[in-house]
Amino acid sequence: MRVNCTVNGAPAVADDVWEGESLLFVLRERLGLPGSKNACEQGECGSCTVYLDGVIVCACLVAAGQAEGRDVRTVEGIASGGALDSVQQAFVDAGAVQCGFCTPGLIVAADDLLRRVPLPADPEVREALAGNLCRCTGYEKILDAVRLAAARRSGMAAAPGGDGATGRNDAHGGDAAPGGEPGRPGR
Ligand code: FES
Ligand code: FES
């Protein structure tokens, strides 16, 4: 079958799509967008997180046909004009990228959080990123990156790891996974 949708602001067409094919496969293998990663293919790791009509989903759990006529935005679409977005730059600056496999999904999830909650407290960050697993960083650098991106987007100065400059009501720092169960609805 043919799938027509909008990807990162431009019309996209994928031909010869199998009925059981995922949106993730279409993005990576048919549309040349390898930013969204394929790790578990079971909706458990969040590495394939993309926006679908403005709501984040696990692209591995979305049938390609469900994207027909809809708007998809991937980590490639977070950047604009060839420059990294503030969230992407914050992950680099905070040292939150090691192997990088989790990074695209985390960036999309963090971008979604900061659009909804410009200056989130740490528990809100942890909850928002609960569906995104990282096996390298121990999560602290990821939290630093989100704090930094939040501060920069809000026009406030903050150094990676700095708690005081953002004006947030942080409850704790912590060193475990950023949240509980990966229970993001619809992902
Ligand atoms: S590849 Fe792991 S949630 Fe999609
Ligand atoms: S940086 Fe390797 S899984 Fe997160």
Side-chain angles (χ1 to χ4, degrees):
M1 65 178 172
R2 168 174 285 190
V3 175
N4 298 277
C5 58
T6 301
V7 179
N8 297 332
V13 179
D15 282 318
D16 301 322
V17 175
W18 173 56
E19 284 78 358
E21 207 163 287
S22 70
L23 173 60
L24 178 61
F25 187 92
V26 168
L27 291 171
R28 289 178 54 84
E29 309 299 336
R30 298 190 186 280
L31 299 180
L33 292 168
S36 308
K37 296 293 179 270
N38 182 357
C40 71
E41 237 176 342
Q42 296 182 355
E44 298 290 342
C45 73
S47 66
C48 63
T49 303
V50 300
Y51 286 100
L52 182 63
D53 284 344
V55 176
I56 58 171
V57 297
C58 287
C60 70
L61 294 184
V62 176
Q66 290 179 278
E68 175 66 29
R70 300 175 74 178
D71 184 65
V72 178
R73 194 150 66 100
T74 70
V75 69
E76 289 95 339
I78 300 287
S80 63
L84 294 180
D85 170 79
S86 57
V87 175
Q88 295 168 319
Q89 189 63 54
F91 269 69
V92 174
D93 293 344
V97 181
Q98 289 189 25
C99 82
F101 219 81
C102 67
T103 309
L106 278 160
I107 286 173
V108 175
D111 178 75
D112 173 63
L113 170 65
L114 296 182
R115 287 173 185 274
R116 294 182 288 106
V117 185
L119 286 172
D122 276 2
E124 293 174 285
V125 178
R126 290 170 180 273
E127 181 176 0
L129 304 186
N132 295 79
L133 304 184
C134 176
R135 285 293 170 261
C136 302
T137 65
Y139 296 106
E140 271 307 308
K141 296 295 186 185
I142 291 169
L143 294 174
D144 286 346
V146 178
R147 294 175 187 129
L148 181 59
R152 285 176 174 172
R153 282 191 176 184
S154 298
M156 304 172 72
D163 282 340
T166 63
R168 290 169 294 103
N169 182 25
D170 294 336
H172 58 87
D175 58 4
E181 294 300 310
R184 187 169 298 148
R187 297 188 54 201

